[in-house]
Amino acid sequence: MIRVVLDTTVLVAAVISPTGPNARILELITTGKARPYLTQAVIEEYDRVFQYKRPQHLDKKRVTRVRRLLEQTATQVKSSGRLKISEHEDDNRIYECALAAKADYIITENTKHFQHPHAYTKIVTARQLLRLVEENKA
């Protein structure tokens, strides 16, 4: 099973496009091919992003479904300390979660903020991970 940490961009994109590649990542989770990991800080970041003014137009039912899926399937881990990898402090919480979870991948649509793999965790987009899974390399 692939161990993943989802950046908030994946969740927002999955809500916007329920048949797109980010939504297909959620299918990998529901079929047991991928296991998401969270820390309390990541959960708070997810909540904060959906409260911003910009995503307020999103379908609330879809947002609820995505959040519920993560609540039901994710394994919560505890961060072992602060990292300073990204210039964006919130993104460092994603790195911390990945380290604590020994995640294989951080999945993001914002590779500009996630330029550096860390330890054993690679940075991929949803499309890249789907391609790896199809090729059986993930």
Side-chain angles (χ1 to χ4, degrees):
M1 183 175 308
I2 305 165
R3 299 165 75 96
V4 299
V5 176
L6 306 178
D7 179 37
T8 55
T9 58
V10 173
L11 302 184
V12 172
V15 170
I16 291 170
S17 178
T19 60
N22 291 284
R24 290 180 51 211
I25 294 298
L26 300 178
E27 290 173 19
L28 290 179
I29 292 168
T30 59
T31 60
K33 294 178 182 169
R35 173 173 288 145
Y37 287 81
L38 303 167
T39 59
Q40 187 58 42
V42 169
I43 292 168
E44 291 167 7
E45 174 66 7
Y46 290 167
D47 291 340
R48 190 170 36 255
V49 165
F50 283 114
Q51 295 304 314
Y52 291 158
K53 185 177 181 180
R54 198 167 183 201
Q56 289 303 307
H57 71 282
L58 297 176
D59 183 328
K60 302 291 186 229
K61 288 181 183 177
R62 282 192 201 151
V63 171
T64 300
R65 268 186 256 135
V66 167
R67 296 287 289 127
R68 190 172 298 134
L69 170 68
L70 289 175
E71 288 171 13
Q72 293 171 347
T73 60
T75 300
Q76 191 164 345
V77 294
K78 186 173 178 160
S79 171
S80 59
R82 296 284 187 171
L83 293 175
K84 182 70 175 155
I85 298 169
S86 175
E87 293 178 19
H88 294 86
E89 202 53 40
D90 291 337
D91 295 338
N92 287 317
R93 304 299 79 80
I94 301 292
Y95 277 111
E96 292 161 6
C97 180
L99 183 63
K102 296 183 175 123
D104 300 303
Y105 300 98
I106 291 173
I107 307 171
T108 183
E109 293 305 317
N110 188 359
T111 55
K112 183 174 108 181
H113 288 177
F114 290 92
Q115 295 181 359
H116 307 285
H118 182 69
Y120 26 73
T121 304
K122 297 176 181 92
I123 311 298
V124 295
T125 65
R127 277 189 171 86
Q128 289 170 326
L129 184 64
L130 292 168
R131 198 172 314 116
L132 289 169
V133 168
E134 287 170 11
E135 296 169 355
N136 292 315
K137 293 181 181 177

